[in-house]
């Protein structure tokens, strides 16, 4: 089963001071059978956060572990086009807290045909309805 991971989950797994660190770490340890997928934009975002908030050395270790243990999903042109459609739709409904990062995340989920996500930002993703699914399946 695919588990698509967002920035909040990955950052929590790395930062020992994050309130969700233990939850994220235990989940990863207890679920080695899952196929973890990280959208490329999420990798960039988390890497930058780690470098700024923790250290460059931790950022390097993070990248080494991501490359070894996770599947990085590159964005396709159609993902970016779909992300813009998502933004236009939700902004038209005055749901303005959804930005390009979330829209790209949703477009990857749709293309991969999976609504199984790892996030600590449920309030945002509960407002989104990925095409082909009624809602997201929060694994944590």
């Amino acid at each position: 089963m695919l588990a698509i991971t967002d920035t909040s989950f990955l950052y929590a797994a790395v930062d020992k001071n994050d309130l969700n660190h233990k939850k994220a770490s235990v989940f990863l340890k207890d679920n080695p059978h899952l196929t973890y997928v990280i959208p490329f934009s999420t990798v960039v975002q988390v890497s930058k956060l780690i470098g700024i908030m923790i250290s460059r050395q931790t950022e390097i270790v993070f990248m080494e572990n991501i490359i070894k243990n996770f599947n990085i999903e590159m964005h396709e042109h159609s993902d970016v086009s779909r992300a813009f459609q998502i933004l236009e739709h939700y902004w038209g409904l005055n749901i303005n807290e959804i930005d390009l990062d979330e829209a790209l995340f949703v477009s990857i989920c749709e293309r991969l045909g999976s609504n199984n996500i790892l996030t600590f930002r449920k309030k945002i993703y509960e407002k989104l309805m990925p095409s082909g699914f009624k809602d997201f399946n929060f694994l944590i």
Side-chain angles (χ1 to χ4, degrees), residues 6 102 105 119 121-128 136:
D6 86 335
E102 286 90 18
F105 185 84
T119 184
R121 299 180 68 218
K122 280 186 176 180
K123 286 183 180 184
I124 294 288
Y125 289 103
E126 284 175 337
K127 295 178 182 184
L128 297 165
F136 281 108

Side-chain angles (χ1 to χ4, degrees), residues 26-45:
V26 168
F27 186 91
L28 289 170
K29 181 181 169 228
D30 290 349
N31 293 282
H33 61 283
L34 294 175
T35 300
Y36 294 97
V37 176
I38 308 170
F40 181 71
S41 57
T42 300
V43 172
V44 172
Q45 198 173 36

Side-chain angles (χ1 to χ4, degrees), residues 63-74:
M63 290 304 299
E64 289 170 345
N65 283 311
I66 289 298
I67 291 166
K68 280 189 233 173
N69 301 306
F70 290 79
N71 297 302
I72 298 171
E73 186 66 31
M74 299 304 291

Side-chain angles (χ1 to χ4, degrees), residues 64-128:
E64 289 170 345
N65 283 311
I66 289 298
I67 291 166
K68 280 189 233 173
N69 301 306
F70 290 79
N71 297 302
I72 298 171
E73 186 66 31
M74 299 304 291
H75 295 283
E76 296 178 359
H77 187 273
S78 61
D79 298 327
V80 178
S81 295
R82 176 66 181 136
F84 287 136
Q85 290 173 350
I86 291 167
L87 286 176
E88 285 180 329
H89 174 75
Y90 286 99
W91 289 353
L93 298 173
N94 288 323
I95 301 173
N96 297 314
E97 64 268 34
I98 294 164
D99 62 22
L100 184 58
D101 294 318
E102 286 90 18
L104 282 168
F105 185 84
V106 172
S107 70
I108 290 283
C109 292
E110 290 176 351
R111 180 167 52 80
L112 296 179
S114 178
N115 66 337
N116 299 314
I117 65 172
L118 290 166
T119 184
F120 291 112
R121 299 180 68 218
K122 280 186 176 180
K123 286 183 180 184
I124 294 288
Y125 289 103
E126 284 175 337
K127 295 178 182 184
L128 297 165

Side-chain angles (χ1 to χ4, degrees), residues 7 10-12 14-19 44-60 62:
T7 301
L10 289 171
Y11 185 81
V14 174
D15 186 351
K16 293 177 182 168
N17 295 317
D18 190 284
L19 295 174
V44 172
Q45 198 173 36
V46 175
S47 180
K48 187 175 185 178
L49 271 173
I50 292 169
I52 292 168
M53 302 299 288
I54 304 173
S55 72
R56 289 288 180 200
Q57 185 58 39
T58 304
E59 181 180 8
I60 291 167
F62 167 77

